[in-house]
Amino acid sequence: MLVAIDGPVGAGKSTVARAVAQHLGFTYLDTGAMYRCVALAAIEDRAADHPRPLERLHIDFEGERVLLDHMDVSDAIRTPDVSNEASRVAADPVVREQLVDRQRRLTARGDWVAEGRDIGTVVRPDAELKVFLTAADEERAARRAAQTGRSVEEELADLRERDERDRTRDASPLRRADDAVEVDTTGLPFDEVVRRIAALVAERRA
Ligand code: DC
């Protein structure tokens, strides 16, 4: 079974998807981390003036850790610079084709909760359950500010810019799949969001 969780920056996708996966005993896939790895490689390669071909980048998950060419980059891929570069590389159709292919092969067997922007629309339109997670802009910015230590205003400006880029790009723009269930997490306690999604999964399985 595959549960697809898509939505904009700061809607709570990764914490929710991780908790839902743990609750159900499914494997969690953070597809944003894969775009972030490509972005980090691009930044590193520009500095070293030594480009690595995309198809040869090793991106692996080891529990909670993200590995790029066998190095633990779990923290390095979360900086504001990498976030911005990730949103740029994610607009490149060549990058998308490569990563979507990897994501399809990864999730072909077993039970998954996969989280990103295009899981329900492009990667796995056959997902048994599609959730589109949203929240008010200000709440999303406040959540990000609590994680990064930057101001809410800075985060708000940043996430609006990234949302705009994710929604208006030609290659797989962020949009809700027609058959996705929209869950607005504004003001909802975290446990309640997880409970709702787990209930939807139980419904689909029945
Ligand atoms: O979810 P995130 O912030 O870690 O994602 C990083 C960037 O990658 C973000 O700009 C959106 C993009 N992305 C994407 O285009 N498609 C996905 N399936 C996942 C992320």
Side-chain angles (χ1 to χ4, degrees), residues 113-197:
V113 178
E115 167 247 310
R117 304 292 189 289
D118 61 342
I119 311 299
T121 51
V122 176
V123 179
R124 292 289 307 272
D126 61 330
E128 281 85 353
L129 174 65
K130 300 177 188 178
V131 174
F132 196 76
L133 216 59
T134 60
D137 289 2
E138 289 70 20
E139 182 150 335
R140 296 192 288 128
R143 288 180 193 162
R144 297 222 33 109
Q147 285 169 356
T148 60
R150 298 200 304 161
S151 73
V152 176
E153 292 69 31
E154 264 180 307
E155 290 295 351
L156 190 59
D158 227 55
L159 73 81
R160 283 188 171 147
E161 191 187 317
R162 282 209 283 147
D163 274 356
E164 179 65 14
R165 211 151 41 201
D166 291 344
R167 284 183 202 277
T168 57
R169 68 181 178 220
D170 292 330
S172 310
L174 169 68
R175 67 168 188 87
R176 180 169 89 81
D178 296 335
D179 53 349
V181 180
E182 182 156 340
V183 178
D184 184 343
T185 67
T186 312
L188 270 189
F190 172 72
D191 291 352
E192 175 57 20
V193 179
V194 176
R195 198 196 59 75
R196 277 194 200 180
I197 298 174

Side-chain angles (χ1 to χ4, degrees), residues 34-48:
M34 299 173 79
Y35 289 92
R36 287 172 179 274
C37 280
V38 173
L40 178 63
I43 293 170
E44 286 176 355
D45 291 356
R46 265 202 299 274

Side-chain angles (χ1 to χ4, degrees), residues 59-110:
I59 302 171
D60 300 296
F61 295 95
E62 255 181 32
E64 297 279 291
R65 314 308 292 173
V66 184
L67 308 184
L68 169 62
D69 286 343
H70 314 292
M71 302 269 288
D72 187 339
V73 294
S74 315
D75 299 323
I77 59 169
R78 303 289 164 195
T79 65
D81 276 356
V82 174
S83 297
N84 278 320
E85 182 70 19
S87 145
R88 264 186 289 274
V89 302
D92 179 341
V94 176
V95 173
R96 298 206 72 84
E97 196 184 330
Q98 263 273 338
L99 294 190
V100 166
D101 185 54
R102 292 186 195 203
Q103 290 155 15
R104 284 187 184 139
R105 277 186 279 135
L106 254 175
T107 59
R109 264 178 292 276

Side-chain angles (χ1 to χ4, degrees), residues 8-70:
V9 181
K13 291 185 305 293
S14 46
T15 27
V16 168
R18 207 176 260 124
V20 169
Q22 195 177 19
H23 183 85
L24 298 168
F26 287 16
T27 311
Y28 163 65
L29 177 63
D30 174 1
T31 61
M34 299 173 79
Y35 289 92
R36 287 172 179 274
C37 280
V38 173
L40 178 63
I43 293 170
E44 286 176 355
D45 291 356
R46 265 202 299 274
D49 197 18
H50 177 57
R52 281 168 276 184
L54 179 62
E55 62 277 8
R56 281 212 240 125
L57 286 183
H58 288 275
I59 302 171
D60 300 296
F61 295 95
E62 255 181 32
E64 297 279 291
R65 314 308 292 173
V66 184
L67 308 184
L68 169 62
D69 286 343
H70 314 292

